[in-house]
Amino acid sequence: MMVTQAMTLTHLWPGAPVSPSALLSQGAFDFADESGSISCKGLSDTSPDEGLIEDLTIEDKAVEQLAEGLLSHYLPDLQRSKQALQELTQNQVVLLDTLEQEISKFKECHSMLDINALFTEAKHYHAKLVNIRKEMLMLHEKTSKLKKRALKLQQKRQKEELEREQQREKEFEREKQLTAKPAKRM
């Protein structure tokens, strides 16, 4: 009979606190006598069914048993829910740590790709420099050969010029000797 009275109380009083001790602390009950019985007060003002529960008395033992029953009914589920939430939170922390590690690995991978691209580019430019150096050495050799050839040609021309000059002088001397000399009279 007490359970139906408590259920009737919560159905007739919308928004009623679940715990009986909360009802007591809000002043919803009045102590009627010295035996520990309590009665509801103020229900007739708020209830649409006047007079149904005006003389409701609840004993302390019944309130305690109802509170224990309510707690024993919901407490295991709440504890399991709390444990499940703690595990979920712990798993989320682990997942976040793992995700951060993967992100850092991904960033490292991208930086390694950038470094690899730089090394590839450096190899390409190194090959270009080697080719330019080979071309410069080849051009240096060609210019050295051309300078030697030009020097030889210049020396050959100078020699030819000298020989021509000497030839002219010889011809001039010869002509001079061939020219008739007037004889000396004595």
Side-chain angles (χ1 to χ4, degrees), residues 53-104:
I53 312 182
E54 286 181 2
D55 297 328
L56 179 68
T57 57
I58 302 175
E59 294 182 14
D60 285 339
K61 189 175 181 183
V63 171
E64 189 176 315
Q65 287 177 348
L66 285 172
E68 285 177 12
L70 185 67
L71 285 175
S72 67
H73 181 71
Y74 288 111
L75 192 60
D77 289 337
L78 289 174
Q79 287 175 341
R80 281 193 298 272
S81 297
K82 181 181 178 182
Q83 186 178 4
L85 284 174
Q86 285 175 343
E87 287 178 17
L88 181 63
T89 304
Q90 195 174 20
N91 289 341
Q92 283 178 340
V93 168
V94 170
L95 183 63
L96 284 174
D97 288 342
T98 306
L99 189 60
E100 285 177 9
Q101 289 173 358
E102 292 299 318
I103 288 172
S104 66

Side-chain angles (χ1 to χ4, degrees), residues 29-40 54-58 60:
F29 298 98
D30 222 357
F31 288 98
D33 57 5
E34 297 169 3
S35 68
S37 297
I38 51 175
S39 62
C40 290
E54 286 181 2
D55 297 328
L56 179 68
T57 57
I58 302 175
D60 285 339

Side-chain angles (χ1 to χ4, degrees), residues 4-20:
T4 55
Q5 287 177 349
M7 293 178 96
T8 308
L9 177 63
T10 55
H11 288 295
L12 293 178
W13 191 359
V18 176
S19 120

Side-chain angles (χ1 to χ4, degrees), residues 3 85 114 118 125 141 143 148 156 179:
V3 174
L85 284 174
D114 292 341
L118 286 175
Y125 285 119
E141 287 176 15
T143 55
K148 286 179 184 177
K156 187 177 178 182
T179 343

